[in-house]
Amino acid sequence: MMGRFSKMHGLGNDFVVIDARAAPLDMPEARARAIADRHTGIGCDQLIVIGEAADADVSMRIFNADGSEVEACGNATRCVPLFVGRDVAIRTRAGLLHARLIDGGASVDMGEPHFEWDAIPLAWAMDTLTMPASWEDLPPPAAVNVGNPHVVFFVDDLDTLAVDRLGPLIEHDPLFPARVNVNFAQIAGDRHIRLIVWERGAGLTRACGTGACATAVAAIRRKRATGPVTVTLPGGDLVIDWQPGGSIRMTGPATHVFDGEADWAHF
């Protein structure tokens, strides 16, 4: 079961990318978790498996560091055209995404956001623009599905938040039956947002592409920002452009670090 992989990252959100187009690879949760382990495996935030697709150039499966398979990952999506070497249509659990190479990275059409409570999903019906729910001293958040579920809190000062405590508390709240990605955002200008993300199944991350998309969309819906929006994460900047009723365009860096070979039977 020897196979090659690439180590890649988008703004420090790092991936092990496996090409399974020629030889499909079984990926149970335990194997994904073992590969992602930074001490005894290869190490990554997410494991990405590239495969064949009947209606696209490639398919992409995404596994968080805890082994759970998820629907979408914006930073990983930007890495796919770099990995393949050309512009690509990508079949994901979140739908069909189109990514094109640009200098230093990629630009991706992430599709349209969804705001219905059962599309997030939430445990019961409520307004998703200003949710009648909160945690501790946080303000009422917004909820957005951009292929995966997000909740967004707009705060006055990011630097005072105990993200490592609040993140898992909210991720696992019963209000979110599929768990949730937790975004803490600070408006820095009409076209600029600072963002820290507690990622479902991965924890505190240097960057989250879908989180940047969800946060920019929520800010535009609340009329607190105008697109295109520069979203500054600990790992760097993404540019998110969205107009109500349209799809989200995400543009940012993607980096190939190195290639390697592993025996998948050992994981």
Side-chain angles (χ1 to χ4, degrees), residues 145-253:
N145 188 299
V146 289
N148 55 1
H150 286 265
V151 64
V152 184
F153 296 88
F154 293 100
V155 301
D156 294 331
D157 187 357
L158 273 182
D159 300 323
T160 63
L161 289 180
V163 174
D164 55 350
R165 179 176 56 82
L166 291 167
L169 175 72
I170 299 166
E171 176 193 352
H172 294 279
D173 192 284
L175 178 59
F176 306 106
R179 296 188 291 165
V180 74
N181 298 283
V182 189
N183 302 269
F184 301 98
Q186 180 179 338
I187 301 294
D190 183 54
R191 296 180 184 270
H192 187 200
I193 300 172
R194 290 181 61 211
L195 178 64
I196 297 175
V197 182
W198 179 272
E199 194 164 358
R200 176 184 60 165
L204 193 61
T205 181
R206 290 183 54 79
C208 178
T210 57
C213 292
T215 299
V217 166
I220 292 168
R221 287 188 77 209
R222 286 192 176 183
K223 304 188 187 306
R224 301 195 62 183
T226 304
V229 179
T230 297
V231 180
T232 298
L233 298 121
D237 293 345
L238 294 172
V239 176
I240 310 299
D241 199 8
W242 176 72
Q243 298 297 323
S247 61
I248 306 166
R249 171 66 60 177
M250 174 189 61
T251 303

Side-chain angles (χ1 to χ4, degrees), residues 7 12 14 33-46:
K7 188 69 184 290
D14 64 328
R33 186 168 57 248
I35 293 170
D37 190 290
R38 295 190 183 277
H39 299 287
T40 59
I42 299 170
C44 60
D45 289 328
Q46 279 89 23

